[in-house]
Amino acid sequence: MSSEDKEAQEDELLALASIYDEDEFKRAESAQGGETRICLELPQDFKIFVRGDSTESSGFEYSVCFLPPLVLNFELPPDYPSTSPPVFTLSGKWLSQAQLSALCKHLDNVWEENRGCVVLFAWMQFLKEETLNYLNISSPYELKMCPQGKGQSRTPVGSLEAGKDCGGATGSGTAEEETVDARAVQDVESLSSLIREILDFDQAQRRKCFNSKMYSCSICFCEKLGSECMHFTECSHVYCKACLKDYFEIQIRDGQVHCLNCPEPKCSSVATPGQVKELVGEELFARYDRLLLQSSLDLMADVVYCPRPGCQTPVMQEPGCTMGICSCCNYAFCTLCKMTYHGVSPCKVTAEKLMDLRNEYLEADETTKRFLEQRYGKRVIQKALEEMESKEWLEKNSKSCPCCGTHIEKLDGCNKMTCTGCMQYFCWLCMGSLSRANPYRHFNDPSSPCFNRLFQAMHIDDGEFWEVED
């Protein structure tokens, strides 16, 4: 490596580190290279579109402000920038391999036009500011998967011209059939996981932007950071968390769980259960949840909330169906256990809930018992009953070895016991470990709490042991 190339590389990497924060640029520790994460600037009211399963034009649209970043991994060869370009891969979740290949081709062209000069900053600026125009992506942008399914092909580099780069919503499938660039990686497993990742990333970035800005609370009139504030989703009115906390707590204590709306006069926006849970204590939220459920079931027994923390949209439940589909985020979930919809398979129950399930089952009527058996499976409920009965029996009829914890049942004999698990001697009365050399000293020592109690609670009658109550 010439001194000029080495100096140019160091200057470029230092410049990038000073321009971008750690989330956008990270220099490699072991080599002359690094990773850049480029978030595109989207137009206002940008939407993504997912086509339905049918051949009709129906589908689903989502409004997003942020898309997951394009990731440019690069390594600088010894003769860069004088002779060779950076070695790189370009990965993205929401662009097809054909689109990523077109971007790779353009990065090559940028190098050819600036051969002998550093190009990383030019590459990053192009990806950040011109990707959408270069690929003819407009709103609504249709999400597609590459033909290989998982989108991580490493096929040889193919010729892909910018004019064929399978633009966005209006692009044809022709470019998808082209041979893709080996450096282009669509880093996503499936279309459903892609949608979830996009929505979660968009929500996280919106929250990050909100937290970093200053807002004026309309209740206390103080200027506070967004991280100390909360906004109502429907109306976007912002208040500080301290004021809303007091407001929510007063309403919940008064039983006005339907009045947790925006404090702005004549505004009908209502706080989501997730927002209420974030501000009030566990006890108050339990009261809020209980009162809200009680007041809603009489009139809206077929309504459940989307379990995604950032959504909480009310979902109508079809009669006799346990699947709910959120109209806002399109998340399909089980209306009973609130997990991802699992079809006819029974809901999973955690170990902590086994005792509650057992008590609920024993106290239920026949109709409720059949419902619980259908929900969790008869074998799971039977197992819970058997485990609880075994535990209760052991607690009542046995003691645990002080050394290894093995449950020991005493049927007869003296109070010097031997553990069948670890063969440790111990006293049945005080559960203390006994000396292996002279275990009876514990009962013969006047200073021992069990002195002269070796046969306590037992007496001999006609050669038989009888238990005596204290």
Side-chain angles (χ1 to χ4, degrees), residues 156 280 382 419 446:
V280 304
Q382 187 64 34
C419 175

Side-chain angles (χ1 to χ4, degrees), residues 32-85:
Q32 286 290 86
E35 177 184 278
T36 63
R37 305 175 68 85
I38 302 141
C39 288
L40 276 59
E41 298 176 357
L42 301 181
Q44 192 173 4
D45 298 326
F46 188 83
K47 296 180 179 180
I48 56 175
F49 174 76
V50 181
R51 193 175 299 278
D53 294 334
S54 62
T55 56
E56 302 175 1
S57 59
S58 61
F60 304 94
E61 281 189 356
Y62 307 90
S63 295
V64 294
C65 296
F66 301 91
L67 288 172
L70 301 178
V71 181
L72 178 68
N73 286 283
F74 65 89
E75 185 173 338
L76 305 180
D79 55 353
Y80 167 82
S82 62
T83 306
S84 300

Side-chain angles (χ1 to χ4, degrees), residues 207 210-218 220 222-232 237-244 275 278-279:
R207 187 66 190 176
F210 178 83
N211 290 344
S212 63
K213 296 180 180 179
M214 298 294 294
Y215 296 93
S216 175
C217 175
S218 300
C220 64
C222 294
E223 289 281 338
K224 294 188 177 182
L225 269 175
S227 57
E228 302 177 40
C229 299
M230 179 174 289
H231 76 283
F232 286 81
H237 290 141
V238 179
Y239 303 90
C240 73
K241 292 181 178 179
C243 291
L244 282 182
Q275 290 175 317
E278 182 181 347
L279 294 183

Side-chain angles (χ1 to χ4, degrees), residues 374-385:
Q374 181 182 5
R375 177 177 176 180
Y376 296 105
K378 194 170 184 178
R379 180 177 297 179
V380 172
I381 294 178
Q382 187 64 34
K383 179 182 178 182
L385 295 175

Side-chain angles (χ1 to χ4, degrees), residues 399-408 417-420 422-434:
K399 295 182 180 181
S400 298
C401 170
C403 183
C404 67
T406 300
H407 289 285
I408 306 293
M417 304 293 292
T418 304
C419 175
T420 57
C422 63
M423 305 308 294
Q424 172 68 42
Y425 297 144
F426 66 93
C427 174
W428 182 257
L429 299 176
C430 67
M431 299 306 295
S433 297
L434 304 180

Side-chain angles (χ1 to χ4, degrees), residues 268-319:
S268 59
S269 297
V270 179
T272 66
Q275 290 175 317
V276 178
K277 187 174 184 179
E278 182 181 347
L279 294 183
V280 304
E282 184 176 344
E283 183 178 347
L284 270 182
F285 181 76
R287 172 178 170 81
Y288 159 80
D289 197 34
R290 185 178 66 255
L291 292 176
L292 186 64
L293 180 61
Q294 290 174 352
S295 61
S296 299
L297 283 179
D298 292 339
L299 300 176
M300 305 176 67
D302 55 347
V303 171
V304 293
Y305 284 95
C306 173
R308 291 187 68 219
C311 184
Q312 300 290 310
T313 301
V315 177
M316 296 293 293
Q317 180 183 359
E318 294 294 333

Side-chain angles (χ1 to χ4, degrees), residues 126-158:
F126 163 75
L127 293 173
K128 185 179 184 67
E129 299 176 358
E130 301 181 40
T131 293
L132 297 182
N133 290 334
Y134 183 75
L135 297 178
N136 297 322
I137 293 177
S138 59
S139 179
Y141 169 65
E142 182 179 353
L143 297 176
K144 294 180 179 179
M145 291 293 298
C146 69
Q148 288 86 348
K150 293 198 174 182
Q152 297 187 5
S153 172
R154 292 291 187 272
T155 51
V157 177

